[in-house]
Amino acid sequence: MKSFAAGRKARSAPLYSSRGPRFPDRIVALFAACSRTNLRACLFLTGLTLVALLPGFFSIPPVDRDGARYALVSRHMAETGNLTDTRLGWEPKRTQALGLHWLQAGVVRAAELVGIPEAPTRIWLYRIPSLAAAIAAVLLTFWAALAFIQRRAAMLAGSLIAASVALGVGGRLAVPEVFLLGSVAAMMGAMARLYLAERHGEGGVAWQQSAHESRLALVFWTALAMGLFTKGLATPLYVVLPLAALVAVDRSALFLRRARSYGGLAILLVVVVGWFLLRRYGMPETQAEFVARTLLGPVAREYQGFTGPPGVYLLLFFVIFWPAAPLAVLALPIVWKARRIGTVRFLLAWVVPVWLLFEILPTKVPAYVAPTLPAIAILIALAVERGALALGNMRLTRVLWLWPLIGAVIAVGALLGMAVFDRTTSVLAWPLLLVGFFALVIAAASVREYGVEKAALTALAGMLISGFGVMQLVLPNIDSFWLAPRVVAAAAREPCGAGTGPIEVGIAGYNEPSFALLMPNAPRFLDGAAAADFLKAGGTCRVVFVERRQEPRFARRAEAIGLRIQRGADLRGFDYNGLREVRLAPYRPG
């Protein structure tokens, strides 16, 4: 408790060290220079987010399934002009937020207008809104942190989010989770200022809402509207549970009066009513759209999570919040001791109720707890600013050796995957992975000399260096993981006679949305028997790719209808959703 009240005097290490590598000193010097003004801090965090996310942003193919599904729906919106239908193939109509689809469709249409070739099939265009949302989430975490700590510590909190695995995954996929992360950071940052103003007694008994509080309330309700617009009905959960916990612990709800904003409620009402009307009376599906959607066939459903016992999210925390997770372990003792302080109480209310709810639920989806990460990052930065991390506890300090341990596991796993699945390696990636690993070793070994801030920044730098090697040089080049681009390329090589039009493609046993997204024309998702009928009904410019489990049905049906076929070379890959090997055989009419 005393260490939290001691302010910034308790920093445990000098900014520069007379011994050791100069690389960490330069990182800290840059960090200190950028912390002098809010503008510099925002530019630093924006640059850091780009450095963390751009490796692999353009080169990683569509990732099944959620990212590819969102992009495919948005492609249909851009091509048909129907901005309310989110169905794929034979799916029934359902409620789904439209905001991200509209943003992605707008980017694709803009790309077509400026002349980018084959814009609807370029996945990086669909990722641009998520990249922008990731930058906004980092900046909003920085803004939220300023309610609790000084600018330099707030920069550290934003840096921990920018370099986290959770943001790295969400920012590279065409999914709305990063929008939710930013919306929650904005809502809780605004509410934190209102809550702390109430605790400090600003306004007294004769309180009247100030202009500053009106702006904060407007930010709160606008962020909630944005979350509903992009992510949907899950958004209010992340603010209702923390506020309910604060009301229960404080036995007072007076701070909620400061969140009054008629303008914000109007914005929220427009989003909610508009969504309801579009859902109820949206653009009718034309006959051509109905036929095209029906012919597409059944598309693989989105990721449904997995079943696990309570405590699974605690283990996943060390993955989704790496490399900052070990720092959270160091901060835990002092955070628990200071739990009755208003700032710490608010941050714990942001995390604990949501976390407990999802631990109790049997279905586990790692992205569900991601909106609590800004609060954890702020708690870490708060402990660092007060010099209160448990560096004196040798057992806890050893947890920082997870930096090089997990870093080595990621690097070795990436290279091993490349060797096992494709029997090759990336020579260019090796030096980067080694440099990143040694930076993580230096950070873990020198924390008592460097201090936590310097060690953490060194670890972040090491993660970014090794991350470039993994995300840019290794992962995009594991061809076995990316079967859809190879199938599309094989279909494009199929010979078609002059005047026969574009090739028609069917696929049996592999109904991943990434394949439909990358195809210039809509494919047909079929079973084995229907694949044979598809070849029989068409001319010479048709080809089907049949997965080995569907081949017996395909062969029996082809024999029954007297279909003569030719078989091409097999395409082999690995289905990371089903964790199985996939073999597709191309067949064309004989």
Side-chain angles (χ1 to χ4, degrees):
M1 296 283 286
K2 292 181 180 180
S3 57
F4 266 78
R8 301 177 64 184
K9 296 180 180 179
R11 293 190 182 275
S12 57
L15 202 61
Y16 296 94
S17 172
S18 60
R19 296 176 294 172
R22 295 180 60 190
F23 177 62
D25 293 335
R26 292 178 178 176
I27 295 174
V28 176
L30 174 63
F31 189 78
C34 292
S35 66
R36 292 172 186 168
T37 67
N38 286 334
L39 177 59
R40 288 186 183 183
C42 290
L43 292 176
F44 173 84
L45 292 174
T46 301
L48 179 64
T49 307
L50 291 174
V51 170
L53 295 185
L54 286 184
F57 184 84
F58 299 96
S59 56
I60 294 178
V63 179
D64 290 311
R65 295 187 177 111
D66 289 11
R69 282 183 58 90
Y70 269 92
L72 185 57
V73 171
S74 302
R75 176 183 174 178
H76 289 171
M77 287 185 177
E79 291 176 342
T80 64
N82 189 333
L83 301 179
T84 61
D85 196 350
T86 60
R87 291 174 292 179
L88 291 176
W90 297 349
E91 295 173 359
K93 199 168 185 178
R94 57 180 180 166
T95 300
Q96 184 170 320
L98 301 172
L100 178 59
H101 294 304
W102 289 2
L103 293 172
Q104 291 175 339
V107 170
V108 171
R109 291 293 295 162
E112 289 178 320
L113 291 176
V114 300
I116 295 179
E118 301 176 350
T121 63
R122 296 187 181 273
I123 184 59
W124 62 268
L125 289 172
Y126 299 93
R127 292 171 177 164
I128 288 177
S130 295
L131 176 63
I135 295 173
V138 171
L139 296 179
L140 287 168
T141 298
F142 168 72
W143 176 76
L146 289 174
F148 306 95
I149 48 183
Q150 300 297 318
R151 186 185 300 120
R152 180 164 176 160
M155 275 183 61
L156 178 61
S159 300
L160 296 180
I161 293 296
S164 67
V165 170
L167 195 80
V169 173
R172 287 186 179 91
L173 300 182
V175 292
E177 273 65 27
V178 283
F179 287 88
L180 177 62
L181 180 63
S183 298
V184 172
M187 284 189 289
M188 298 305 288
M191 186 56 69
R193 288 163 169 83
L194 300 175
Y195 173 79
L196 294 176
E198 183 68 33
R199 282 184 64 91
H200 296 156
E202 296 179 12
V205 179
W207 169 83
Q208 288 186 347
Q209 190 176 43
S210 65
H212 177 63
E213 290 175 341
S214 297
R215 289 191 294 269
L216 289 175
L218 181 62
V219 169
F220 175 84
W221 293 107
T222 304
L224 178 57
M226 185 63 181
L228 288 170
F229 180 61
T230 53
K231 178 59 179 176
L233 298 176
T235 305
L237 178 71
Y238 294 92
V239 66
V240 170
L241 287 179
L243 295 184
L246 288 172
V247 170
V249 173
D250 292 348
R251 299 181 182 179
S252 173
L254 285 178
F255 69 94
L256 295 177
R257 63 183 177 173
R258 298 176 184 262
R260 184 184 65 213
S261 174
Y262 297 115
L265 287 173
I267 294 173
L268 180 64
L269 190 63
V270 167
V271 171
V272 173
V273 173
W275 188 11
F276 171 78
L277 293 177
L278 288 174
R279 163 69 178 164
R280 185 89 169 114
Y281 308 104
M283 299 178 182
E285 187 177 40
T286 65
Q287 183 68 21
E289 292 170 2
F290 172 77
V291 171
R293 181 172 60 81
T294 304
L295 289 178
L296 178 63
V299 182
R301 298 300 302 268
E302 64 270 14
Y303 178 64
Q304 301 291 331
F306 61 94
T307 301
V312 169
Y313 281 116
L314 192 60
L315 296 177
L316 289 175
F317 173 72
F318 286 90
V319 177
I320 63 177
F321 203 37
W322 190 83
L327 295 175
V329 177
L330 286 183
L332 183 60
I334 189 61
V335 167
W336 180 249
K337 290 180 181 178
R339 63 188 181 277
R340 291 183 176 85
I341 298 177
T343 54
V344 178
R345 176 179 294 182
F346 184 91
L347 292 168
L348 288 176
W350 184 345
V351 177
V352 175
V354 173
W355 202 286
L356 289 177
L357 173 65
F358 289 123
E359 287 284 15
I360 293 171
L361 296 178
T363 301
K364 311 297 183 184
V365 178
Y368 285 174
V369 296
T372 66
L373 297 183
I376 300 174
I378 296 171
L379 284 168
I380 294 171
L382 179 61
V384 171
E385 182 181 63
R386 303 297 191 247
L389 287 187
L391 293 184
N393 189 328
M394 293 299 296
R395 291 184 178 179
L396 279 182
T397 306
R398 290 171 188 163
V399 78
L400 295 183
W401 284 99
L402 285 175
W403 280 338
L405 177 62
I406 296 180
V409 169
I410 294 173
V412 172
L415 292 173
L416 189 62
M418 201 173 195
V420 170
F421 290 107
D422 287 359
R423 292 177 173 80
T424 185
T425 189
S426 174
V427 177
L428 295 177
W430 278 88
L432 294 173
L433 297 177
L434 288 174
V435 170
F437 172 74
F438 283 118
L440 294 170
V441 171
I442 291 170
S446 306
V447 64
R448 298 181 67 84
E449 176 188 354
Y450 285 176
V452 177
E453 181 190 77
K454 188 174 179 179
L457 293 175
T458 305
L460 294 185
M463 190 280 298
L464 293 176
I465 294 171
S466 59
F468 182 90
V470 171
M471 304 306 294
Q472 183 65 37
L473 302 177
V474 176
L475 190 58
N477 296 313
I478 304 179
D479 291 337
S480 296
F481 283 4
W482 316 116
L483 187 57
R486 294 161 54 207
V487 176
V488 172
R493 292 192 298 266
E494 288 293 322
C496 280
T500 58
I503 188 170
E504 297 180 62
V505 180
I507 190 165
Y510 185 79
N511 58 343
E512 299 294 344
S514 59
F515 177 64
L517 176 67
L518 294 175
M519 281 294 298
N521 302 301
R524 307 280 185 87
F525 290 119
L526 310 162
D527 60 20
D533 293 331
F534 173 75
L535 281 187
K536 181 71 173 179
T540 59
C541 200
R542 283 192 173 187
V543 63
V544 293
F545 294 87
V546 183
E547 207 271 330
R548 60 181 175 182
R549 295 181 300 176
Q550 292 288 331
E551 281 188 319
R553 297 186 64 188
F554 175 78
R556 288 195 298 268
R557 181 60 179 169
E559 183 179 2
I561 61 178
L563 175 65
R564 300 180 61 187
I565 53 177
Q566 295 178 345
R567 176 172 175 160
D570 289 351
L571 296 171
R572 296 177 180 271
F574 182 75
D575 178 12
Y576 44 82
N577 285 294
L579 298 178
R580 63 184 180 89
E581 185 183 5
V582 176
R583 188 196 69 193
L584 293 173
Y587 291 91
R588 64 187 67 86

